């Protein structure tokens, strides 16, 4: 195994490398480094390279350099690579072997070790001097790494110099630089500097990644407060152009970061702070929180947030309301479903039927006829909801099934009062309920009502007594001893 090769073995390998033909050296070295990449440990590769230098076996950098950088990245550290990097640069300078000159990727790897791990300005600038000496042109990554280091150390003058240099190199995309500046200022606890960078990015038309927003949120909550975050969102909102996409707004980025970091309560508290300042943010800022509430089944908080959204003058789409109501019903949080539906009715949305059916179906499945009755009574006069006899029948049937005949009778009377015509199913439910409760006299009273109904509506196309309804009346009336009424049923059928 490569990982247990001793220093003695490495010296022997270097000795043989020295005596091999160039093409054999290149092949063997490539193979060795590739094995190290698969096995991940960096030490054997570093040891071999140093051993080669010591034995004056000078192999072109492009043979082994990128592989050693990859090994270092997989190991999660570039500190070990720094030693190899500087030794290689010494060979280039002393021996004037320019084919061993490090490329940009290697220089950036060395810079990463200096900036992110050692956090040493001196070491980083030493790498920059070598890049200049070898004519290695820096890119956005190079400037970003230095930006982090200078921001972390509070070297604002150096940051200004970096930006000037970027322009000189024709590098116009400063997103990476600003993101790294934020990272450095966050670690240093300089929230004012972070805010300045964020607000400046809006003027430059730049957008940060989700990772950068997570850095911002963590930094503000560690060194500041939710209120400070809210202030930043409000200030950003004043600078953001009107047509800016919600997903590109600072508010969305920060709220979404809170959600991603599992800080839902912080996100909601921040929205409260924003509303307290009479600021208005885009709907997309709220949607991220709503989706997270639904996912975590925190439907009562979602209902509260929906009310806040409506109060701010924003309007959710129909499918969003439908999803929230469905989540509330699945969670058996009926009051939240009612609250969201009320907010939905307060908007100009015309399509309410889907959510109405979701609520009624959920209440039926959970045997809550009293809530069905209260809900139906609340919405019955809304012209956007097509309430029909079948809706009343569902409630009456549920009351009867539960033996709550007084509630069933009250619902029946309410139904008739509002001019909804009872049908065969209405009476079947009531008859079966009265029979189960041994209230046969109530069946007789019901028959008298049905008899009038048949007489007055039959000529107008009303319902007649079908077999099921006839059998139900006959059974109940005979069992109750009301034979005369039973004969009336027979005559009417």
């Amino acid at each position: 195994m490569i990982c247990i090769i001793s220093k003695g073995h490495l010296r022997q390998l270097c000795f043989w490398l020295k005596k091999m033909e160039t093409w054999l050296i290149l092949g063997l070295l490539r193979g060795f480094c590739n094995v190290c990449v698969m096995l991940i440990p960096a030490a054997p590769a570093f040891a071999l390279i140093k051993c080669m230098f010591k034995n004056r076996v000078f192999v072109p950098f492009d043979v082994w350099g990128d592989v050693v950088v990859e090994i270092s990245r997989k190991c999660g550290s570039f500190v070990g690579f720094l030693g190899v990097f500087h030794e290689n640069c010494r060979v280039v300078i002393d021996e004037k072997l320019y084919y061993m000159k490090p490329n940009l990727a290697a220089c950036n790897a060395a810079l990463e070790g200096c900036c992110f791990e050692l956090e040493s300005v001196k070491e980083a600038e030493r790498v920059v001097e070598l890049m200049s000496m070898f004519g290695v042109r820096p890119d956005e990554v190079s400037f970003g790494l230095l930006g982090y280091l200078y921001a972390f150390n509070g070297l604002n003058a150096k940051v200004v110099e970096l930006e000037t240099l970027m322009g000189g190199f024709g590098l116009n995309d400063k997103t990476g630089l600003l993101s790294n500046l934020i990272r450095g200022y966050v670690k240093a606890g300089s929230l004012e500097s972070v805010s300045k960078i964020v607000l400046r990015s809006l003027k430059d038309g730049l957008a940060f990644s989700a990772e950068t927003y997570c850095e911002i949120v963590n930094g503000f909550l560690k060194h500041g407060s939710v209120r400070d975050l809210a202030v930043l969102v409000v200030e950003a909102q004043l600078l953001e152009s009107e047509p800016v996409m919600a997903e590109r707004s600072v508010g969305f980025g920060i709220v979404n970061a809170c959600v991603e970091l599992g800080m839902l309560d912080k996100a909601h508290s921040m929205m409260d702070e924003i509303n307290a300042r009479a600021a208005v943010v885009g709907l997309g800022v709220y949607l991220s929180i709503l989706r997270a509430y639904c996912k975590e089944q925190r439907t009562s908080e979602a209902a509260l947030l929906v009310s806040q959204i409506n109060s701010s003058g924003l309007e959710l789409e129909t499918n969003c309301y439908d999803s929230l109501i469905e989540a509330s019903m699945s969670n058996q949080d009926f009051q939240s479903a009612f609250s969201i539906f009320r907010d939905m009715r307060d908007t100009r949305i015309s399509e309410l039927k889907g959510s109405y059916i979701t609520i009624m179906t959920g209440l039926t499945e959970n045997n809550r006829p009293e809530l069905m009755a209260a809900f139906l009574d609340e919405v019955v006069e809304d012209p956007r909801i097509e309430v029909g006899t079948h809706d009343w029948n569902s409630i009456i049937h549920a009351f009867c099934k539960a033996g709550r005949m007084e509630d069933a009778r009250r619902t029946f009377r309410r139904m008739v009062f509002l001019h909804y015509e009872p049908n065969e199913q209405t009476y079947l439910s009531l008859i079966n309920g009265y029979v189960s409760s041994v209230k046969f006299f109530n069946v007789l009273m019901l028959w008298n009502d049905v008899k009038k109904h048949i007489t007055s509506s039959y000529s107008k196309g009303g319902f007649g007594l079908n077999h099921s309804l006839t059998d139900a009346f006959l059974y109940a009336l005979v069992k109750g001893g009301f034979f005369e009424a039973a004969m009336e049923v027979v005559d009417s059928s």
Side-chain angles (χ1 to χ4, degrees), residues 264 268 289-307 323-340:
L264 259 179
H268 200 152
I289 305 177
L290 284 176
R291 283 193 289 266
Y293 276 147
C294 285
K295 186 177 180 181
E296 296 185 9
Q297 297 186 326
R298 295 173 60 177
T299 47
S300 58
E301 289 99 326
L304 178 61
L305 190 57
V306 168
S307 295
S323 298
L324 291 167
I325 288 172
E326 186 173 349
S328 298
M329 295 305 295
S330 298
N331 200 32
Q332 296 187 3
D333 183 2
F334 307 129
Q335 295 307 318
S336 292
F338 296 155
S339 173
I340 295 169

Side-chain angles (χ1 to χ4, degrees), residues 10-15 18 48-58:
L10 288 172
R11 280 195 293 269
Q12 290 179 22
L13 180 58
C14 288
F15 174 78
K18 198 172 181 179
L48 175 60
I49 301 302
K50 289 178 179 178
C51 188
M52 285 168 44
F53 291 155
K54 187 175 181 180
N55 287 275
R56 299 185 60 78
V57 177
F58 302 130

